[in-house]
Amino acid sequence: PAFTWEVRANDRNYHMRFKKKFAFCLTKKKYAGNAIKTAKYNIFTFLPLNLYEQFHRMANVYFVFVILLQTFPEISTLPWYTLLFPLSCLLTIRGLRDLIDDVGRHQSDRNINSRPCEILSGKSFRWQKWRDICVGDIVRLHKESFVPADMLLLCSSEPSSLCYVETADIDGETNLKFRQALLVTHQELVSEESMATFDGEVTCEEPNSRMHSFTGTLEWRGETYSLDSERILLRGCKLRNTDVCYGLVIYAGFDSKIMRNCGKIKRKKTKLDRMMDRLVIIIFLVLLVTSLCLAIASGFWARMFQEKHSYLSALYKNTTPAQQAFFNFWGFTILLSIIIPMSMYITFEFIYLVNSFFINWDLEMYYAVKDIPAKARSTSLNDQLGQIEYIFSDKTGTLTQNMMSFKKCCINGTIYGTGPGHENKQPSGSGLTWSHHGEKKLDFCDATLLEAAWRDSDPVLREFLRLLALCHTVMVEEKGDQLVYQAASPDEEALVLAARNLGYVFLARTQDTITISELGKKRTYKVLAMLDFNSDRKRMSVLVRDPQGTIRLYTKGADTVILERLQRRGPKETFTEMALDRFAEETLRTLCLASKEVSEVEYSKWSRRHREASVLLQDRTRELDKLYEEMEQNLQLLGATAIEDKLQDGVPETIQLLKLGNIKVWVLTGDKQETAMNIGYACKLLTDDMEILEEKEISSAPTTPSWHSEILEAYWVSNNNLSGSGEVLCSSRLSQPCPEASCHKKRAVIVSGDFLDKILHMGEVLKEKKGWLWRRLACCRATGPQEPGSLVEKAFVDLATSCQAVICCRVTPKQKALIVQLVKKHKKAITLAIGDGANDVNMIKTADIGVGISGLEGMQAVQCSDYALAQFSYLQRLLLVHGRWAYLRICKFLRYFFYKTFAGLMAQVWFAFHSGFTAQPLYEGWFLALYNIFYTSYPVLSMGLLEQDVSAKKSLEFPELYVIGQQDELFNYRVFGITLLHGVSTSLASFYIALWAFEDGIGSKVVGDYESFAVTVATSALLSVLVEIILDTKFWTVLSFLMVTASLLLFCLFSFLTQSIDAFRIAPAVFRFPEASRNALTDPYILLVVLLSLVVNTVPSLTVRLYRTITGKNTIQQNIRLKARQEPEPSVELRAHVPHGSFHRRSSYAFSHQEGYAGLITRGDSLRTGDTRRAT
């Protein structure tokens, strides 16, 4: 990276001078202000920008075209304003919806930008707002406040200027992380005056999205000091355990790392929406071709007619046949333009809105504990909920509650905490003296264990509890008579609290002592050394001298590392291993505890070498690790603990159901790999029979070039394999270690953010190409050789999608979004992202559907989401019930809207063949106007609102039904083609049966006229459409029945009103069919013609249904029901006969904290003394 970002402390004018180009020759300030804006519109841009977005829908462009045609009186059939009004309504409805969403974003921006903070102004700190912060300002932060911009930590009120932060909003982790100021700024900047005179200059990399890295230097008083990410406080962190700290703003506003990871708001369109756009173009082209053919025919017909009937030449003397054809072309275009009805789009919006209300009103998705209902924040994506193929989920706060609880333990061959039968009661009469320190609520308190601890007769139990109270890096504060523990990880806190509940209370610590209360007796242990945790060691130890002078080593760590360091393996050790197996099956996070006594001689030798190693300049870490290794040998096993990382209710069941519905779940988390795998097993995403592919197994060679070529080679094999088994082949090549036979096993991929970086080339390959031109170019290029980066991406996506589960750990918010983008790009799949924190916002914006969990981590995710839920488990109902129903309803609605439109209006085309190809309408103008609005829209509307193929209960019982939506079975080009043919055949039958009847003769009344003929065709078509809808409605309600009845009644009512003789007298040009219906439909002969049309139109539909039933071509639903009766559903419980090796994989060292805390404690950096507080 280029180190061109220069920041001078307390010098705003210096930064104001710099400008940078951003478009053509326009420039803007190089250093961004701290105000942020996530809203899309402002007062000036709302109208033009929103209209621009709305006219991306082809239908709106089409309607404007038709309105423009109607403005020419020569070819107009309706006044232009009659069409403009519904279009305006449609645009207004959608515009208002966008406006309401954006007002919410403006509100959120205003709240964030107006948060208070203290900025150094002149020689003192003044309270101002976040938006007033500039690069180079010095800001004072207080405990529990959020960091307003990316800042260099200058000093804090803690010893050695430590600063504890919680990064939940950035990576979802709630454990504390420490940052430390440079020694020079810690020592020199001791007062407000020294802050005001501080004139250091920071040179660092340009703003970027890499959350975990920072490189730069500070120049001050002629000296240069190096800076890394340990010195930086990122925007969005929360200050904890630190009363006051001071920081120099490096990146503000949109330059800060969290904002760089946020992503832009994308306008989301559903799959059906995109298909409708293409259909509108197809229908419009067909319409133009039809109009052109009819117009040419009309020209020829006019010429022939003029030659035959020269005595009528006076009528034609001003027009030639070509002119007539030209006008007829536009006349037909307008006449047939109703084939894409505007009412369909207005009804469409209404159906979407009501289906969104159904989601909001669903009591099954209401979380009573916190009074949070489900909320559909976007109303135009419901049908896409029925087509999801991939779910990308955050872990912390989405799958888990982010609460650790001590569940079970095995001590000296006895398992405690075995079941829910044990009440959390203290043994009566024990008179426990430590109880005033105790928790109000005990998660774990086995009565037998409490009694054993109180009797104090078992030395192993005593050592076990002592270890829990001594071997940790927890800090303690006294608030009143309560002890408040601050731990680097929630699991450490759970262990210390468990010891406290059992009578071993951690009271205080200094640089080299720990004080605990053992069953009410205070004891102080001298800390001789802390052997720190790191991810390779997977253990931590503490070497202490007890009050009697005995030196003991206490160690806790992953079972894999502790068990191999034991002095002996006896029956108790074997029993403990079995207990670990049992805990692992219950997906608890296990730890082994061991200790040993160390002789004075051994300690003095080791201590001398330890001191020497501590001051080495080279290989210090390696030498220390060797010494730690020596000390941690010949241990005696005390027992094992099992901690539960509490899942949210119903998570495993939900994931199982989604899997059965052919939905793949990927977990993307900022957490460590072990933690992520543990949760994977706990929520049954990973199972024991899965082969786990980690990074080293995916890439057979350790070096990157050969690894890339490995993936490339696999990709080419799959690409050139035309048999269709490319994906499987590619995946089998990618996982080299697995032999051919085992390649059909279930597999899971587990990768880290660094690994993804190599694939994504820092994500730069995946810049989204916008606009049709880019896509056109991409299509042209696709046939040629592809760039290597894209091939590697494709190969990785092929491998990942062929697996049953994918877990990505240590990923940044931007990487989360890029993974979603990758799957969308290479698999053309519909994706859903679900998360609860600010670190999930980019992913939620990128996915086709974004779901926010109303959780502990603020509301950022919910504000950017399309749907808000209170629990992950509600996802099953949102997708499998509401999503599937919405997809079914919208598809049936579209199918029947197109069918009824073609069935009713294609008769215009057939009439042209019998009316000299003039663009004369067949139907009365009122029938045309009211056909789509009143006569046929209500039954279709009730279908769009209420249709169900199976009940909600059955939808969840048979998640396999969900596959229909993923495969686009209910509405696609084939279904549209069949609907078109069905509609055309209905209109042909209605028209030609009537024509045949009218040509054959006349009934008992004189009804051989054009008006009676038009009424007959109209009635036949209308009744055929209604009967078809009645036959296909699966779910009848009172409303469905009322809608069909209302359609018929409205047809009768409006026919009576528009065809009354009085109306004709008032406006003969408007009401042109006086008494036509009464005349025609009271004639039995005509009624029989209508009945014949109805029978002819309905028989084919009934025949197809009967044929399907007889030949056994059952619907998917019926097949699934049969299958469910034949074979019982496989159990999803974890098996007891786990292969012994498997629990090693999952019983992770139950710690998610960083290394380095032990060093802080032994140096005394993190410990307060009375006089180290900095005056504020």
Side-chain angles (χ1 to χ4, degrees):
F3 292 94
T4 53
W5 192 260
E6 293 177 0
V7 177
R8 284 190 188 171
N10 294 316
D11 191 351
R12 284 191 176 186
N13 294 332
Y14 172 75
H15 303 112
M16 300 287 258
R17 297 206 301 263
F18 292 93
K19 303 272 188 242
K20 64 174 178 183
K21 279 188 181 177
F22 74 100
F24 304 114
C25 54
L26 300 175
T27 59
K28 64 175 181 181
K29 288 179 190 169
K30 178 182 176 181
Y31 297 91
N34 202 42
I36 59 158
K37 173 181 164 291
T38 58
K40 274 165 83 170
Y41 313 112
N42 59 36
I43 296 170
F44 305 107
T45 59
F46 173 70
L47 205 61
L49 203 59
N50 190 260
L51 285 174
Y52 171 73
E53 283 173 350
Q54 295 221 41
F55 280 102
H56 270 103
R57 286 176 191 257
M58 290 315 299
N60 292 341
V61 178
Y62 171 79
F63 293 141
V64 169
F65 172 74
V66 174
I67 290 169
L68 288 174
L69 287 184
Q70 295 280 25
T71 56
F72 296 102
E74 294 84 0
I75 53 173
S76 169
T77 54
L78 285 167
W80 61 271
Y81 47 83
T82 55
L83 280 171
L84 185 64
F85 177 70
L87 180 64
S88 306
C89 286
L90 189 62
L91 295 177
T92 307
I93 290 166
R94 285 181 178 150
L96 281 173
R97 199 179 58 203
D98 291 339
L99 183 66
I100 290 163
D101 284 352
D102 212 54
V103 165
R105 284 192 281 267
H106 272 288
Q107 194 68 45
S108 157
D109 289 347
R110 204 171 301 122
N111 291 344
I112 289 171
N113 291 333
S114 302
R115 285 178 180 171
C117 65
E118 282 190 286
I119 305 173
L120 183 63
S121 178
K123 295 198 172 177
S124 61
F125 283 91
R126 300 222 177 102
W127 282 101
Q128 288 175 278
K129 296 198 163 52
W130 275 26
R131 61 167 169 261
D132 303 321
I133 292 174
C134 293
V135 170
D137 284 356
I138 292 177
V139 177
R140 175 157 67 192
L141 299 176
H142 297 269
K143 194 173 181 176
E144 302 299 319
S145 63
F146 283 99
V147 178
D150 291 356
M151 312 194 311
L152 169 67
L153 178 61
L154 296 175
C155 56
S156 80
S157 55
E158 296 297 294
S160 306
S161 277
L162 273 184
C163 179
Y164 294 95
V165 290
E166 184 186 89
T167 55
D169 265 0
I170 293 174
D171 56 16
E173 293 183 23
T174 52
N175 48 301
L176 295 187
K177 296 186 172 65
F178 68 85
R179 299 286 179 262
Q180 192 166 8
L182 289 167
L183 188 61
V184 61
T185 56
H186 162 65
Q187 289 170 343
E188 299 290 333
L189 303 180
V190 291
S191 63
E192 288 187 14
E193 290 75 33
S194 58
M195 294 277 179
T197 56
F198 177 61
D199 59 353
E201 186 170 322
V202 173
T203 307
C204 60
E205 56 200 13
E206 290 282 319
N208 59 63
S209 61
R210 295 187 291 279
M211 303 293 293
H212 302 299
S213 71
F214 175 84
T215 315
T217 58
L218 168 67
E219 283 182 45
W220 188 36
R221 297 178 178 171
E223 296 287 323
T224 303
Y225 308 91
S226 73
L227 304 174
D228 58 16
S229 55
E230 297 297 303
R231 315 280 181 208
I232 300 294
L233 302 177
L234 296 181
R235 179 184 173 117
C237 293
K238 195 174 190 180
L239 204 61
R240 302 293 295 271
N241 286 27
T242 309
D243 289 333
V244 175
C245 79
Y246 298 83
L248 167 68
V249 177
I250 306 286
Y251 305 124
F254 281 110
D255 289 336
S256 61
K257 289 186 183 282
I258 187 75
M259 294 311 292
R260 285 272 165 154
N261 273 280
C262 259
K264 290 191 170 69
I265 296 167
K266 298 171 179 71
R267 189 170 190 84
K268 297 184 179 181
K269 282 180 93 168
T270 66
K271 213 172 182 178
L272 279 176
D273 245 353
R274 289 192 287 270
M275 188 184 162
M276 284 295 295
D277 277 352
R278 291 193 285 270
L279 276 181
V280 166
I281 295 171
I282 292 168
I283 294 171
F284 181 57
L285 292 175
V286 169
L287 186 148
L288 287 180
V289 170
T290 309
S291 301
L292 186 65
C293 294
L294 293 172
I296 291 168
S298 80
F300 283 113
W301 190 88
R303 199 171 77 187
M304 196 177 70
F305 185 83
Q306 283 178 28
E307 284 170 2
K308 271 190 185 175
H309 307 281
S310 52
Y311 55 88
L312 292 173
S313 59
L315 290 172
Y316 294 109
K317 68 172 182 241
N318 295 329
T319 57
T320 62
Q323 280 175 306
Q324 210 162 329
F326 176 76
F327 281 120
N328 277 343
F329 169 73
W330 295 113
F332 278 121
T333 303
I334 289 178
L335 196 62
L336 298 175
S337 67
I338 315 173
I339 278 183
I340 306 175
M342 205 174 294
S343 58
M344 179 172 82
Y345 281 89
I346 294 172
T347 318
F348 215 44
E349 289 296 317
F350 183 68
I351 290 173
Y352 272 132
L353 186 69
V354 174
N355 277 320
S356 298
F357 284 139
F358 289 155
I359 292 171
N360 298 350
W361 296 335
D362 189 346
L363 288 174
E364 298 285 323
M365 297 200 293
Y366 169 68
Y367 189 51
V369 178
K370 288 188 178 173
D371 185 29
I372 303 173
K375 178 141 179 62
R377 291 169 50 83
S378 167
T379 53
S380 57
L381 301 170
N382 300 340
D383 57 283
Q384 197 140 277
L385 286 172
Q387 298 182 284
I388 303 294
E389 290 169 68
Y390 291 90
I391 290 177
F392 300 90
S393 172
D394 175 40
K395 179 188 76 73
T396 314
T398 304
L399 298 176
T400 66
Q401 297 178 24
N402 209 12
M403 284 163 56
M404 302 289 175
S405 60
F406 187 91
K407 276 286 169 200
K408 298 187 178 185
C409 60
C410 171
I411 306 167
N412 202 13
T414 312
I415 293 178
Y416 297 100
T418 43
H422 295 283
E423 291 300 311
N424 288 350
K425 287 179 184 167
Q426 296 183 342
S428 55
S430 61
L432 299 178
T433 52
W434 67 85
S435 58
H436 80 282
H437 289 301
E439 290 286 88
K440 293 181 181 69
K441 170 184 145 288
L442 306 186
D443 252 338
F444 164 90
C445 200
D446 188 328
T448 51
L449 180 56
L450 249 177
E451 280 167 20
W454 180 243
R455 281 200 304 274
D456 200 20
S457 56
D458 182 354
V460 177
L461 174 59
R462 193 184 310 135
E463 286 294 294
F464 181 93
L465 295 171
R466 210 171 261 166
L467 189 151
L468 291 183
L470 292 170
C471 183
H472 54 76
T473 57
V474 175
M475 313 299 288
V476 62
E477 274 186 290
E478 276 204 52
K479 286 194 178 167
D481 63 341
Q482 284 289 314
L483 292 175
V484 179
Y485 293 147
Q486 297 291 352
S489 69
D491 357 45
E492 278 235 275
E493 188 177 16
L495 292 172
V496 176
L497 286 175
R500 167 160 108 176
N501 294 337
L502 293 164
Y504 285 69
V505 187
F506 165 50
L507 296 174
R509 82 169 343 132
T510 66
Q511 196 170 332
D512 54 1
T513 66
I514 292 185
T515 307
I516 64 173
S517 160
E518 297 180 7
L519 302 173
K521 296 186 198 111
K522 219 181 224 192
R523 288 165 67 96
T524 301
Y525 290 79
K526 186 170 173 56
V527 179
L528 304 173
M530 285 185 91
L531 286 54
D532 199 3
F533 160 83
N534 71 33
S535 51
D536 296 329
R537 283 165 42 75
K538 292 192 176 174
R539 62 191 182 276
M540 80 162 284
S541 304
V542 60
L543 197 59
V544 296
R545 191 189 296 274
D546 68 14
Q548 284 75 42
T550 313
I551 298 173
R552 293 198 72 86
L553 176 81
Y554 293 106
T555 302
K556 65 181 179 188
D559 38 35
T560 44
V561 292
I562 300 290
L563 293 173
E564 63 194 26
R565 287 170 174 73
L566 295 182
Q567 192 175 15
R568 62 190 175 82
R569 291 282 182 105
K572 282 184 181 163
E573 282 73 13
T574 312
F575 183 83
T576 305
E577 283 191 55
M578 286 164 61
L580 283 166
D581 263 345
R582 232 172 85 182
F583 297 158
E585 278 168 40
E586 294 168 40
T587 64
L588 299 171
R589 300 171 67 166
T590 56
L591 273 180
C592 276
L593 278 54
S595 74
K596 74 168 185 180
E597 197 171 312
V598 181
S599 68
E600 284 290 348
V601 179
E602 188 187 346
Y603 169 67
S604 59
K605 278 185 194 166
W606 184 87
S607 175
R608 192 182 68 251
R609 289 167 59 210
H610 181 254
R611 271 198 305 278
E612 287 166 7
S614 310
V615 293
L616 283 177
L617 294 176
Q618 286 184 322
D619 296 337
R620 182 190 303 172
T621 314
R622 202 168 68 218
E623 289 301 316
L624 284 174
D625 278 354
K626 268 193 215 163
L627 280 170
Y628 294 168
E629 184 70 39
E630 274 177 38
M631 179 56 77
E632 292 162 337
Q633 295 297 333
N634 302 323
L635 303 171
Q636 279 150 1
L637 189 66
L638 299 173
T641 62
I643 289 176
E644 181 185 36
D645 188 354
K646 282 192 177 170
L647 289 174
Q648 287 195 7
D649 297 337
V651 166
E653 295 79 1
T654 302
I655 287 179
Q656 202 58 35
L657 267 181
L658 295 172
K659 275 185 179 175
L660 289 170
N662 194 34
I663 300 171
K664 289 185 174 167
V665 181
W666 291 26
V667 175
L668 313 180
T669 175
D671 221 331
K672 286 202 167 60
Q673 182 167 328
E674 290 91 348
T675 328
M677 280 177 73
N678 243 35
I679 293 301
Y681 279 109
C683 64
K684 295 178 184 161
L685 187 65
L686 303 178
T687 52
D688 288 316
D689 55 355
M690 274 186 186
E691 177 193 0
I692 308 285
L693 298 179
E694 293 181 32
E695 291 166 26
K696 53 181 179 290
E697 286 146 311
I698 294 174
S699 45
S700 56
T703 53
T704 310
S706 61
W707 169 76
H708 273 297
S709 59
E710 190 65 41
I711 286 194
L712 281 177
E713 191 185 342
Y715 177 68
W716 282 117
V717 170
S718 74
N719 213 26
N720 299 328
N721 181 347
L722 304 176
S723 65
S725 60
E727 276 191 22
V728 180
L729 224 158
C730 165
S731 314
S732 65
R733 288 297 307 276
L734 278 167
S735 51
Q736 286 293 332
C738 90
E740 286 303 311
S742 67
C743 277
H744 300 291
K745 279 175 69 174
K746 286 184 179 176
R747 282 186 307 201
V749 168
I750 296 175
V751 292
S752 72
D754 298 339
F755 179 84
L756 289 165
D757 254 352
K758 292 175 196 165
I759 291 171
L760 300 168
H761 297 311
M762 306 301 294
E764 295 311 318
V765 175
L766 213 84
K767 288 276 192 219
E768 201 179 353
K769 309 279 195 272
K770 289 196 171 73
W772 61 272
L773 186 65
W774 273 111
R775 282 197 287 276
R776 190 68 51 80
L777 288 170
C779 293
C780 303
R781 281 209 310 263
T783 51
Q786 284 182 286
E787 61 204 78
S790 187
L791 295 179
V792 176
E793 288 171 11
K794 176 85 170 75
F796 170 70
V797 172
D798 282 347
L799 169 66
T801 51
S802 69
C803 293
Q804 272 63 38
V806 178
I807 295 178
C808 304
C809 32
R810 303 307 282 166
V811 285
T812 64
K814 192 170 188 180
Q815 281 174 330
K816 288 185 177 186
L818 286 169
I819 293 164
V820 176
Q821 187 69 45
L822 265 185
V823 174
K824 280 171 71 177
K825 175 182 164 185
H826 292 294
K827 286 288 157 191
K828 304 284 183 279
I830 303 295
T831 57
L832 177 146
I834 178 167
D836 69 323
N839 56 321
D840 306 312
V841 166
N842 201 347
M843 165 173 86
I844 285 171
K845 287 178 184 171
T846 306
D848 296 294
I849 302 271
V851 178
I853 299 265
S854 318
L856 304 168
E857 295 183 26
M859 295 296 281
Q860 290 99 321
V862 170
Q863 281 162 356
C864 296
S865 66
D866 306 306
Y867 297 88
L869 301 176
Q871 296 271 294
F872 180 85
S873 59
Y874 296 157
L875 204 55
Q876 54 176 300
R877 199 170 166 85
L878 184 71
L879 300 187
L880 301 179
V881 178
H882 291 285
R884 212 176 60 76
W885 280 351
Y887 174 70
L888 172 88
R889 288 164 183 167
I890 292 286
C891 289
K892 277 198 163 185
F893 165 77
L894 285 174
R895 214 162 67 204
Y896 279 97
F897 217 105
F898 279 126
Y899 166 70
K900 73 185 184 65
T901 308
F902 293 137
L905 304 177
M906 285 302 281
Q908 300 275 16
V909 178
W910 321 134
F911 183 60
F913 286 93
H914 301 275
S915 64
F917 298 103
T918 53
Q920 182 189 350
L922 162 63
Y923 302 126
E924 177 196 11
W926 285 103
F927 178 81
L928 279 177
L930 301 173
Y931 177 75
N932 272 329
I933 299 171
F934 288 116
Y935 299 166
T936 54
S937 62
Y938 294 133
V940 186
L941 177 65
S942 80
M943 188 181 265
L945 293 179
L946 303 169
E947 182 64 359
Q948 299 175 15
D949 52 350
V950 292
S951 67
K953 191 176 168 212
K954 284 275 185 286
S955 295
L956 293 170
E957 264 177 51
F958 300 109
E960 295 91 343
L961 293 172
Y962 191 80
V963 179
I964 301 168
Q966 293 175 337
Q967 295 169 354
D968 299 328
E969 281 185 25
L970 298 184
F971 193 78
N972 49 40
Y973 292 112
R974 187 179 133 273
V975 169
F976 177 73
I978 292 168
T979 304
L980 175 64
L981 291 174
H982 189 185
V984 166
S985 63
T986 301
S987 66
L988 273 171
S990 304
F991 182 82
Y992 279 103
I993 287 172
L995 187 69
W996 161 76
F998 272 71
E999 277 178 352
D1000 200 43
I1002 290 162
S1004 52
K1005 291 187 183 178
V1006 187
V1007 284
D1009 60 307
Y1010 149 68
E1011 290 170 10
S1012 302
F1013 173 68
V1015 166
T1016 309
V1017 176
T1019 311
S1020 305
L1022 177 65
L1023 291 177
S1024 300
V1025 165
L1026 289 178
V1027 168
E1028 188 62 39
I1029 288 174
I1030 288 167
L1031 285 176
D1032 206 53
T1033 300
K1034 294 269 194 304
F1035 185 68
W1036 281 93
T1037 60
V1038 176
L1039 188 67
S1040 317
F1041 177 74
L1042 286 176
M1043 293 287 202
V1044 175
T1045 317
S1047 292
L1048 287 168
L1049 291 175
L1050 285 169
F1051 175 61
C1052 299
L1053 175 68
F1054 280 114
S1055 296
F1056 172 73
L1057 292 176
T1058 58
Q1059 295 174 11
S1060 73
I1061 200 81
D1062 297 328
F1064 176 70
R1065 284 197 190 107
I1066 296 163
V1070 180
F1071 302 100
R1072 294 178 176 176
F1073 276 46
E1075 303 291 350
S1077 291
R1078 184 194 281 180
N1079 223 6
L1081 298 178
T1082 50
D1083 184 345
Y1085 179 76
I1086 298 272
L1087 288 176
L1088 285 171
V1089 171
V1090 171
L1091 185 63
L1092 178 63
S1093 292
L1094 190 58
V1095 170
V1096 169
N1097 283 326
T1098 309
V1099 164
S1101 287
L1102 287 171
T1103 312
V1104 169
R1105 284 179 170 82
L1106 192 66
Y1107 170 74
R1108 278 186 176 160
T1109 313
I1110 292 168
T1111 57
K1113 277 195 176 177
N1114 291 335
T1115 59
I1116 295 180
Q1117 289 92 307
Q1118 289 159 335
N1119 287 334
I1120 284 169
R1121 281 195 197 119
L1122 289 169
K1123 192 184 89 176
R1125 285 195 202 107
Q1126 286 159 8
E1127 48 182 79
E1129 215 176 291
S1131 164
V1132 298
E1133 285 302 309
L1134 287 166
R1135 308 286 184 276
H1137 47 274
V1138 184
H1140 181 70
S1142 74
F1143 84 85
H1144 287 319
R1145 268 196 170 301
R1146 86 162 80 137
S1147 63
S1148 71
Y1149 179 66
F1151 275 34
S1152 49
H1153 68 315
Q1154 308 160 279
E1155 58 183 298
Y1157 279 89
L1160 288 179
I1161 290 166
T1162 50
R1163 291 198 305 273
D1165 284 356
S1166 59
L1167 303 165
R1168 292 194 182 133
T1169 55
D1171 56 353
T1172 57
R1173 292 285 174 101
R1174 184 180 301 274
T1176 56

